[in-house]
Amino acid sequence: MPADQSPGQRDFPPPKDAGTFDIRIARDGTWYHEGGVIGRKPLVKLLASVLWRDDGGVYWLQTPVEKGRITVEDAPFTAVELSVRGEGKDQILAFRTNLDDWVEADSEHPLRVAENPENGEISPYILVRGRLEALILRPVYYELAELAVAATVQGPESAESLGVWSKGVFFPLGRAA
């Protein structure tokens, strides 16, 4: 028996690909099944516990028995609350998701800001787990912006940037004017 297997554990065949499930996660974090809102938060949390994203960016729900693709309009989660402890480089920024999980921004859970090339709007994200991100909602992003400080970001084109510190890591939010 392999060392990473418990005595009660056995090998299962790979889950059957069930195609596409009629499940959609809207940009605001609302989950839908067959066009109707999934209103029971415990059910949404259960579904989210088997959610993953592959290397190609496709979202899946996968159980030991079957897996199926789902539609995610933007990110599967939203960051709805910000908690700040400490200050300066040592401050810790923690985000609560719409499913009540807390994630601290650090090197394993980075913040990023993406710009829509068509309209210039920005969308801030935090990595929750695996390849799954939470869209930071606008009110939370404004709180984050109030904490922004100027720092020089090292790289091929070093530049002064506005950003925030969390757990000793600087996360750029935008260029300093």
Side-chain angles (χ1 to χ4, degrees):
M1 173 180 331
D4 63 347
Q5 210 173 29
S6 67
Q9 198 176 20
R10 42 179 219 170
D11 291 328
F12 290 100
K16 177 183 83 141
D17 187 341
T20 301
F21 295 147
D22 190 4
I23 294 178
R24 174 177 64 91
I25 305 173
R27 189 170 199 269
D28 68 0
T30 304
W31 288 58
Y32 293 86
H33 178 252
E34 295 180 347
V37 172
I38 301 175
R40 292 181 45 226
K41 195 170 194 172
L43 179 56
V44 172
K45 287 182 173 188
L46 177 65
L47 292 171
S49 74
V50 296
L51 176 66
W52 65 283
R53 185 177 181 194
D54 67 21
D55 292 337
V58 176
Y59 291 91
W60 299 83
L61 294 180
Q62 180 174 328
T63 70
V65 179
E66 69 179 352
K67 68 179 183 178
R69 289 174 293 285
I70 67 167
T71 301
V72 178
E73 291 179 356
D74 190 339
F77 310 114
T78 55
V80 297
E81 183 180 343
L82 172 64
S83 169
V84 182
R85 292 189 319 259
E87 54 188 46
K89 291 182 180 183
D90 296 324
Q91 81 181 347
I92 298 171
L93 303 176
F95 297 83
R96 183 175 62 85
T97 72
N98 57 317
L99 298 182
D100 298 323
D101 293 318
W102 283 93
V103 182
E104 293 180 350
D106 59 21
S107 60
E108 292 184 17
H109 303 95
L111 298 173
R112 74 176 181 92
V113 177
E115 184 176 331
N116 182 328
E118 294 174 12
N119 60 20
E121 283 190 21
I122 60 165
S123 296
Y125 301 90
I126 182 166
L127 184 64
V128 175
R129 61 179 160 85
R131 295 179 190 91
L132 303 176
E133 294 181 307
L135 172 66
I136 299 171
L137 296 183
R138 191 81 43 211
V140 177
Y141 182 69
Y142 290 153
E143 287 181 65
L144 201 57
E146 288 179 13
L147 300 170
V149 295
T152 301
V153 177
Q154 299 302 320
E157 299 176 20
S158 293
E160 183 96 339
S161 194
L162 285 178
V164 292
W165 288 96
S166 184
K167 295 183 109 174
V169 180
F170 183 76
F171 298 102
L173 299 177
R175 289 198 178 266

